[in-house]
Amino acid sequence: DAGITQSPRHKVTETGTPVTLRCHQTENHRYMYWYRQDPGHGLRLIHYSYGVKDTDKGEVSDGYSVSRSKTEDFLLTLESATSSQTSVYFCAIRTDYNSPLHFGNGTRLTVT
Amino acid sequence: KQEVTQIPAALSVPEGENLVLNCSFTDSAIYNLQWFRQDPGKGLTSLLLIQSSQREQTSGRLNASLDKSSGRSTLYIAASQPGDSATYLCASLRLNTNAGKSTFGDGTTLTVKP
C-alpha cells in the first residue's frame, strides 16, 4: 500500500457542471500525477506536480486544471465537464525521478 | 517522442507454463522501465522497476530484463497460476528533474487456464 487515497471512487455528473477529484497521499512524495485510462487509448498523462504549487501539463490537459497547495493533496478539476471526459482517472505518486510510480485505485467518472 | 508497444495484446496459457511478455520502446537513452499488473476494475500494481543502468530485476516468480540497445524489455513469469491472470503494462519513465514524462504500453491481457 503506497498510501494513496482517491476520492470519490465513483461519480456521475451532468454536462457543464464543475467536478473536482482529490488525490491524497500520506508519505510525503514529491511527485504526483493525474492520468486517465480509456479503452483504445491506454493511460494518458493529464497533469503532474513536482512540488507544492509546481505543476505542468501532460499530453491531454485541455479542459482540466490542477492545484497542489499542500504536499499531500493534488486536486484535478474539470471546469465544465463534457461527455468526452467520461473515463477512469488515476492518481500516481513518485518519491523522486529514479523511483517507481505507485497508483491509487482510481475514480470512475461518468458525464451524462 | 517515446513510443511503447506491447505484443501480443492477449495471451492464453495453461497453468504451470512459463511465459514471456514483451515490451518495446523507441527511445532508451534516459528512461527507467517499470512493469505493472492491472486486475479488472482496479488500479495498477507495481511489479518491478528496472533502472536505466540495470539489466534485470527479480521478484519471486517474476523476472524483468532490459536491453536498451535493442529497445526491449521482457517480463518472464515462471510456473504460471490462474491468479496471474490480469493485464500487464510496461511504462518508460523519464529521468529528469521534473520527472513528468511517462509513456505506457497498451498492455498484454494474460489468461492462465486451470
Side-chain angles (χ1 to χ4, degrees):
Chain A
D1 184 0
I4 311 170
T5 304
Q6 290 187 236
S7 58
R9 292 297 314 278
H10 302 273
K11 186 169 183 65
V12 179
T13 191
E14 293 183 349
T15 298
T17 60
V19 177
T20 296
L21 309 182
R22 180 180 184 237
C23 179
H24 178 77
Q25 57 137 332
T26 58
E27 299 182 4
N28 216 32
H29 295 282
R30 178 181 177 187
Y31 299 97
M32 299 185 75
Y33 305 79
W34 278 108
Y35 292 87
R36 60 178 291 175
Q37 187 176 38
D38 305 286
H41 292 278
L43 272 156
R44 294 178 291 175
L45 181 65
I46 305 171
H47 283 280
Y48 67 100
S49 170
Y50 47 96
V52 174
K53 293 185 168 48
D54 292 322
T55 65
D56 204 351
K57 296 178 180 180
E59 62 181 306
V60 290
S61 59
D62 288 348
Y64 301 94
S65 62
V66 290
S67 66
R68 191 172 179 196
S69 58
K70 299 184 291 185
T71 298
E72 58 266 35
D73 289 325
F74 192 33
L75 304 180
L76 177 70
T77 297
L78 291 67
E79 301 291 347
S80 178
T82 68
S83 59
S84 65
Q85 294 175 313
T86 292
S87 186
V88 180
Y89 291 85
F90 287 103
C91 175
I93 59 175
R94 198 172 171 190
T95 302
D96 58 52
Y97 60 82
N98 208 28
S99 62
L101 271 175
H102 293 285
F103 281 80
N105 289 325
T107 294
R108 185 173 296 275
L109 176 68
T110 302
V111 183
T112 61
Chain B
K1 178 186 175 186
Q2 175 74 294
E3 294 181 3
V4 177
T5 305
Q6 293 185 252
I7 296 173
L11 181 64
S12 181
V13 301
E15 182 176 4
E17 189 164 298
N18 301 328
L19 60 102
V20 174
L21 304 180
N22 296 297
C23 173
S24 61
F25 42 91
T26 54
D27 181 358
S28 62
I30 52 169
Y31 294 90
N32 290 344
L33 198 293
Q34 190 170 359
W35 284 92
F36 300 87
R37 74 173 276 168
Q38 186 175 29
D39 295 289
K42 304 292 186 181
L44 282 73
T45 300
S46 177
L47 296 175
L48 290 164
L49 172 73
I50 311 175
Q51 295 183 344
S52 183
S53 59
Q54 297 174 326
R55 297 291 298 269
E56 66 178 311
Q57 284 287 329
T58 298
S59 176
R61 294 184 294 109
L62 306 179
N63 176 275
S65 67
L66 177 63
D67 184 346
K68 292 169 60 179
S69 63
S70 66
R72 291 187 61 193
S73 176
T74 60
L75 179 67
Y76 174 83
I77 303 177
S80 58
Q81 304 169 357
D84 295 330
S85 298
T87 297
Y88 291 81
L89 298 99
C90 65
S92 69
L93 310 180
R94 175 173 284 187
L95 300 178
N96 60 26
T97 53
N98 287 343
K101 301 301 182 183
S102 54
T103 306
F104 285 79
D106 289 335
T108 295
T109 298
L110 173 66
T111 302
V112 181
K113 296 176 290 187

